[in-house]
Amino acid sequence: MPITAGMCCSRPCSSLLFATCEESRCADSPIDPSSACLPQLRTSARMKTLTIGILAHIDAGKTSLTERLLFETGVIDHAGRVDDGDTQTDSLDLERRRGITIKSAVVAVSTPGHRLSLVDTPGHPDFIAEVERAVGVLDGAVLVVSAVEGVQAQTRVLMRTLLRLGIPLLVFVNKIDRTGAREASLLESLRTKLSPHCVAMSAVKELGTANAHPVPLPFDERLADALAGDDVFLESYVAGTASPVDYRKALVRQVSTASVYPVFFGSAATGAGVADLIAGVYELLPSRERRGDGPLDATVFKIERGRSGEKIAYVRMFSGTLAARRPVPFRRVGAEGVGRPSTVRVFEHGATPVSGEALAGDVARVWGLPEIRIGDRLGDSADLSQDRFFAPPSLETLVYPVDPEQTSALYTALTRLSEQDPLISIRRQDQEITVRLYGEVQKEVIRTTLAEEFGIAAEFEESRPLLVERLHGTGHRVRRPAPDERVFFWATVGLRVEPGPPGSGTDYRLEVELGSLPLSFHTAIEDTVHEVLHEGLHGREVIDCVVTLTDTAFYPPASTAGDFRGMTRLVLQEALRQAGTRVYEPVHAFELEAPASAISAVLRKLIELRAVPGEPVITGDRCTVDGHLPAVSAHELEQALPALTQGEGTLVTSFAEYRLKPGGGGPGRVPSSRRGRTTA
């Protein structure tokens, strides 16, 4: 029987941790586990809110756990199954057919005095961009690990990101009812591969059977090392007066500061241990008050299109109030504006939001903001600084329609898709359309989406590494109208190009007064600068550079925006040629673990793939080696690893940097200039 809002559980809760009221966090007496239950009965003057993400390697059981959480809290009357295609969060037809999460989904649980918003994220690394956007709006996270497969490559990538961002998290070891499930060795793996501060909250009885269930562990000295960073606890521990309540209070403080990571064992399939996890989420992860005062501050972390093609923004509220028909300022780097939402719907209970005002702590869907983009901040005082949590895509592919007449429609459809995933940029040069990708699964998803949602049959060429160009030196060119030339433009444009620091992107600057030209001419210059940089000299995007507009003049009434576009293209291409560009390839950092007996074969393969490995480290019968390898080789290494290591090797890769491609050149051509005015 699920536990429903407003009910006390009909069976005793097995958790030693949690009591039934808000004041239990500060109780001075030990908690009686026989009377403890999930904290649905909390009451307070203000509602508490908590937004958490469910994260994991693919197939660890994220979506199944989300379903079980909704069932245990009374949101749904039966837990859906991924295999049956009836889950709440995998709502896309494609997700149901493939059995994987592609888009982040939100569902809420409201209980007296508390609202919990769950964000179910993709587990496949090809959709890491979806995870990135979700991570930026979380109060806490539940990292799901399979008790059978253990810590996997994506698990480690996610854990490192959560640690770097300081996001409080709980670990849920799923599938304890499966044959091959592990407990002691898995816990040791969590401590060595994720963090030494992973601490077990329970032990497992009848492990690997249908009757497997967790049994709570007492609060005693086994937790002392993990909690030693808490000064208050350490003082009582050294004095010999630390009680179970002291341990518990210290655990709450250490988890809230992302210093300790409690590990819960259970099974999403049977429900074992899920009640304890829910209680842990409420009690250990830091919540905030749902309130509407203060300036508006919110983040757009997801965009989708409605049935009529309208744009729908998913917004996480940090302060203030967001309501329909009220002006809303929005900002992004280099742009700002004001919108007026037509509809605001807040996630309260379940996967369907309801109309109302969104307050601090809420997650809402917002209609009526056609200019909004993922990553935009709502409010005048919002902080625009944004860190990249995960690596950008390092692959690209050419895509073309089976019917050439649909080229424009294909570009429009891909542009729509890139609105929902801005890291997957689309580039069109002449009749060629290029898409940036994370992997082959993502390519297949895009192909299917184009066919089913837009009616476009598309073909993709083989993926290739995403090469880029960087400036070798500095270039500066100025051009003025020259009517004696066959092609000329009524415009004066001067541009200087200089290398920027790695990772700095494109910085466009002015050394002329903004009022020296009509605004439309300035816009034409800046837009063309970005177009030309996307094309480069070798057909690759020029990155990490500073472009400065040094000279301008116009000649009324002859000058038009088209003149400035044409002249800017000529001048910037000449400045790039003067500076010179070199072609760079993406390089990944890797960490590879394999049986020590297989390390010789592994090292030979690494050298064959142009990797630069470090010194292998042997611990017992296992060996670890890290280093760098070209991104183009990463997929081949991943495919070869099982045969090299008898299926016992693990590989974690992440984008590290761009390095000069051997030869320094690259395929492509110098793009031709656009047509200008011609003399008779």
Side-chain angles (χ1 to χ4, degrees):
M1 173 182 177
I3 301 171
T4 59
M7 289 178 55
C8 183
C9 49
S10 58
R11 51 184 165 78
C13 175
S14 60
S15 174
L16 274 172
L17 282 174
F18 312 108
T20 59
C21 64
E22 182 71 22
E23 290 71 21
S24 67
R25 187 183 291 258
C26 302
D28 292 325
S29 57
I31 298 167
D32 177 7
S34 65
S35 63
C37 68
L38 298 182
Q40 268 83 5
L41 301 181
R42 290 181 173 182
T43 58
S44 62
R46 292 182 182 272
M47 174 175 283
K48 298 281 188 175
T49 67
L50 176 62
T51 299
I52 67 168
I54 312 295
L55 298 91
H57 187 98
I58 188 172
D59 290 335
K62 292 180 300 70
T63 301
S64 297
L65 176 60
T66 302
E67 289 293 305
R68 179 61 64 171
L69 291 172
L70 297 178
F71 173 69
E72 291 285 342
T73 52
V75 175
I76 55 179
D77 56 11
H78 79 281
R81 298 180 69 248
V82 174
D83 292 341
D84 296 339
D86 60 350
T87 60
Q88 295 288 304
T89 52
D90 284 345
S91 57
L92 300 178
D93 289 340
L94 185 56
E95 290 179 312
R96 297 184 189 278
R97 291 200 305 271
R98 294 188 70 104
I100 61 174
T101 301
I102 297 172
K103 296 293 183 182
S104 297
V106 180
V107 65
V109 177
S110 286
T111 60
H114 217 110
R115 177 176 299 163
L116 175 66
S117 299
L118 302 174
V119 182
D120 184 22
T121 62
H124 199 286
D126 280 13
F127 307 105
I128 197 66
E130 279 290 318
V131 182
E132 172 167 326
R133 292 190 287 276
V135 166
V137 300
L138 300 180
D139 296 316
V142 174
L143 184 63
V144 185
V145 179
S146 167
V148 179
E149 289 82 10
V151 176
Q152 297 171 280
Q154 185 76 346
T155 317
R156 299 173 72 175
V157 172
L158 293 168
M159 184 68 176
R160 289 174 181 176
T161 301
L162 294 170
L163 292 179
R164 178 156 50 90
L165 297 176
I167 295 178
L169 69 97
L170 311 179
V171 178
F172 183 73
V173 178
N174 192 26
K175 304 182 182 180
I176 62 172
D177 58 319
R178 299 284 184 89
T179 301
R182 296 172 291 138
E183 180 185 357
S185 63
L186 180 58
L187 190 59
E188 182 60 28
S189 178
L190 293 175
R191 289 169 176 158
T192 56
K193 295 182 178 181
L194 298 185
S195 169
H197 300 295
C198 291
V199 294
M201 294 291 99
S202 57
V204 182
K205 296 293 186 181
E206 300 186 64
L207 182 67
T209 71
N211 296 321
H213 61 279
V215 176
L217 293 173
F219 281 69
D220 55 23
E221 291 195 358
R222 69 184 181 84
L223 297 176
D225 287 343
L227 300 178
D230 186 282
D231 292 339
V232 175
F233 167 77
L234 188 60
E235 182 179 347
S236 63
Y237 179 78
V238 171
T241 61
S243 68
V245 171
D246 293 320
Y247 279 98
R248 175 176 168 276
K249 289 181 178 180
L251 181 66
V252 170
R253 292 191 294 265
Q254 291 291 84
V255 172
S256 66
T257 60
S259 302
V260 174
Y261 315 106
V263 179
F264 295 82
F265 286 86
S267 168
T270 67
V274 175
D276 289 342
L277 175 66
I278 298 172
V281 166
Y282 276 98
E283 189 71 16
L284 296 175
L285 296 179
S287 59
R288 65 179 70 205
E289 287 188 353
R290 181 177 186 266
R291 51 195 305 171
D293 55 351
L296 175 63
D297 182 10
T299 295
V300 178
F301 68 95
K302 177 182 176 180
I303 285 178
E304 64 183 20
R305 292 277 179 173
R307 293 182 178 178
S308 302
E310 73 278 14
K311 190 178 288 188
I312 306 171
Y314 282 68
V315 174
R316 167 66 202 274
M317 298 288 296
F318 293 101
S319 71
T321 303
L322 180 64
R325 295 178 293 280
R326 293 183 191 172
V328 175
F330 61 88
R331 304 169 66 204
R332 71 180 73 102
V333 176
E336 60 183 38
V338 177
R340 191 182 294 269
S342 59
T343 305
V344 175
R345 293 180 179 172
V346 180
F347 287 91
E348 288 189 351
H349 201 64
T352 303
V354 298
S355 296
E357 292 184 339
L359 308 182
D362 286 342
V363 177
R365 296 177 79 198
V366 182
W367 284 255
L369 299 176
E371 298 180 10
I372 210 73
R373 298 181 187 176
I374 289 175
D376 283 0
R377 298 299 296 265
L378 307 185
D380 290 319
S381 59
D383 180 13
L384 295 182
S385 61
Q386 293 183 357
D387 294 326
R388 178 98 288 133
F389 304 149
F390 297 98
S394 58
L395 298 174
E396 66 177 359
T397 181
L398 287 174
V399 56
Y400 53 89
V402 174
D403 179 2
E405 297 295 322
Q406 290 188 305
T407 300
S408 295
L410 173 63
Y411 181 73
T412 301
L414 289 170
T415 302
R416 281 269 187 105
L417 294 180
S418 69
E419 288 179 353
Q420 303 172 24
D421 197 342
L423 289 183
I424 306 170
S425 62
I426 312 299
R427 184 165 62 120
R428 184 175 185 177
Q429 186 174 350
D430 298 330
Q431 293 300 307
E432 291 185 347
I433 302 175
T434 305
V435 183
R436 295 183 178 181
L437 299 167
Y438 281 96
E440 297 305 308
V441 173
Q442 186 182 30
K443 182 193 294 185
E444 291 305 311
V445 168
I446 293 176
R447 188 202 310 270
T448 304
T449 303
L450 288 171
E452 296 184 353
E453 294 189 13
F454 299 94
I456 299 173
E459 294 295 335
F460 292 77
E461 291 193 356
E462 184 177 353
S463 299
R464 62 194 185 192
L466 179 60
L467 304 180
V468 299
E469 297 179 41
R470 276 197 173 121
L471 293 174
H472 182 53
T474 299
H476 185 199
R477 300 292 292 175
V478 181
R479 267 184 172 264
R480 296 177 175 83
D484 58 328
E485 296 183 356
R486 192 180 69 86
V487 179
F488 72 98
F489 302 97
W490 286 109
T492 292
V493 175
L495 292 168
R496 183 175 63 248
V497 295
E498 305 165 274
S504 61
T506 301
D507 186 3
Y508 177 71
R509 301 175 181 176
L510 299 179
E511 280 187 0
V512 299
E513 294 292 334
L514 187 60
S516 62
L517 291 178
L519 183 59
S520 62
F521 294 174
H522 272 294
T523 301
I525 293 172
E526 184 173 0
D527 289 347
T528 306
V529 164
H530 291 293
E531 288 178 11
V532 175
L533 291 178
H534 270 285
E535 297 167 0
L537 293 182
H538 300 282
R540 305 293 182 176
E541 182 180 1
V542 181
I543 65 170
D544 301 336
C545 64
V546 179
V547 180
T548 305
L549 182 62
T550 61
D551 298 86
T552 59
F554 71 108
Y555 307 90
S559 296
T560 67
D563 287 299
F564 280 90
R565 282 192 289 268
M567 186 64 87
T568 299
R569 177 170 290 273
L570 289 174
V571 170
L572 184 53
Q573 286 178 355
E574 291 177 355
L576 290 174
R577 291 191 190 98
Q578 183 181 7
T581 67
R582 293 181 174 180
V583 178
Y584 286 70
E585 65 178 349
V587 172
H588 284 195
F590 72 87
E591 182 179 314
L592 190 154
E593 183 180 320
S597 59
I599 193 59
S600 295
V602 168
L603 288 174
R604 284 196 297 270
K605 188 65 177 180
L606 289 172
I607 299 302
E608 175 188 328
L609 296 176
R610 292 196 292 129
V612 182
E615 187 72 23
V617 177
I618 298 178
T619 305
D621 61 350
R622 304 290 292 179
C623 182
T624 302
V625 59
D626 57 17
H628 293 81
L629 82 162
V632 68
S633 303
H635 182 67
E636 184 176 347
L637 178 59
E638 183 179 352
Q639 296 295 105
L641 192 61
L644 293 172
T645 63
Q646 294 78 49
E648 296 184 20
T650 60
L651 176 68
V652 178
T653 65
S654 61
F655 173 80
E657 60 181 347
Y658 287 102
R659 288 186 182 174
L660 186 65
K661 188 176 184 292
R669 63 195 182 282
V670 177
S672 60
S673 302
R674 294 175 185 257
R675 296 182 59 86
R677 301 187 182 185
T678 61
T679 57

